[in-house]
Amino acid sequence: MDVDHRLVSLRHSYDTDGTEQLPIILHQISEEDFTHFLNWVYHISSVPPPPEEQFLVAIFKMGFKVYTIIARAKEVMERERRALAAYPPSLLVSPSFSCSSHLHSQCKEAWSGFWWKKVARAILHPMNPLPLTQILQLVIEAPLPNGMNIACKQAMVDAMIELEGLEVEERIIEGVIRAVTLYFNSL
């Protein structure tokens, strides 16, 4: 089975891995070095990385196989983020009860513009990208885009909730945890 396939296809069965109850233990690397590595992988900017030499040594201590699993996961996550930024969800939503077919084209146009100008920019921000799990909150709290019916905005938000596509990063991270755990259990 290919690692990419495992990362994307495994779902929500290991809810406690990586928690205080069931920590991930990597004997080759310190908790601090692993935390710095994960901060680097997932663009968490609140913790500065250690000096480059120490950081690279920590990656090598962790092992090439683990690094490969995490690097592939990062590639998949970046691809998912770019796709979500480029293609706003819920454009196929039918007009709401208070919107006509003719006016709905304006709603869809307003939604696309809002998505590209506000949401996609936040997702693709180079220094502080918005986690996909926070997109829904951003959309809900944003003012109604010009030219959009409020009921259509709510219908698009409802469609986003039903699709569950915003949790893709969490599913990939869960897959990484499972893959790394399985690898170390196989040693």
Side-chain angles (χ1 to χ4, degrees):
M1 182 183 291
D2 187 273
V3 174
D4 283 336
H5 178 70
R6 280 191 288 169
L7 293 175
V8 176
S9 66
L10 293 175
R11 291 180 170 251
H12 308 289
S13 60
Y14 291 84
D15 292 335
T16 57
D17 284 354
T19 64
E20 288 184 26
Q21 295 83 15
L22 190 56
I24 298 172
I25 299 171
L26 303 173
H27 298 286
Q28 303 89 338
I29 185 171
S30 72
E31 179 180 347
E32 181 182 6
D33 286 340
F34 189 63
T35 299
H36 286 300
F37 178 73
L38 291 178
N39 287 334
W40 171 73
V41 167
Y42 298 115
H43 304 289
I44 298 171
S45 60
S46 61
V47 179
E52 276 306 306
E53 302 83 35
Q54 292 173 338
F55 183 58
L56 293 174
V57 169
I59 291 172
F60 288 123
K61 282 183 187 176
M62 190 170 38
F64 185 72
K65 179 70 173 177
V66 173
Y67 172 76
T68 302
I69 292 169
I70 294 171
R72 286 185 182 171
K74 182 175 174 146
E75 289 174 19
V76 171
M77 287 173 71
E78 290 300 320
R79 200 169 31 243
E80 292 290 333
R81 293 178 66 73
R82 287 191 306 271
L84 186 60
Y87 305 106
S90 45
L91 279 177
L92 300 177
V93 170
S94 299
S96 69
F97 63 89
S98 63
C99 188
S100 67
S101 296
H102 171 69
L103 292 176
H104 193 58
S105 63
Q106 292 176 349
C107 289
K108 288 168 46 172
E109 189 175 317
W111 179 254
S112 292
F114 163 75
W115 189 268
W116 184 247
K117 291 175 186 170
K118 299 290 184 189
V119 180
R121 289 176 63 106
I123 293 170
L124 300 174
H125 192 280
M127 300 304 288
N128 190 21
L130 181 71
L132 298 184
T133 56
Q134 293 179 15
I135 290 174
L136 195 58
Q137 181 179 354
L138 174 73
V139 169
I140 291 169
E141 292 175 356
L144 184 67
N146 289 335
M148 185 169 206
N149 180 307
I150 189 145
C152 285
K153 179 184 177 187
Q154 186 58 51
M156 294 200 186
V157 167
D158 292 343
M160 288 173 62
I161 293 169
E162 288 178 27
L163 290 176
E164 298 180 359
L166 302 179
E167 289 85 23
V168 68
E169 287 177 323
E170 297 300 319
R171 289 194 305 270
I172 292 169
I173 291 168
E174 289 169 5
V176 167
I177 291 169
R178 285 190 294 277
V180 170
T181 302
L182 288 171
Y183 170 70
F184 280 111
N185 287 340
S186 72
L187 296 179

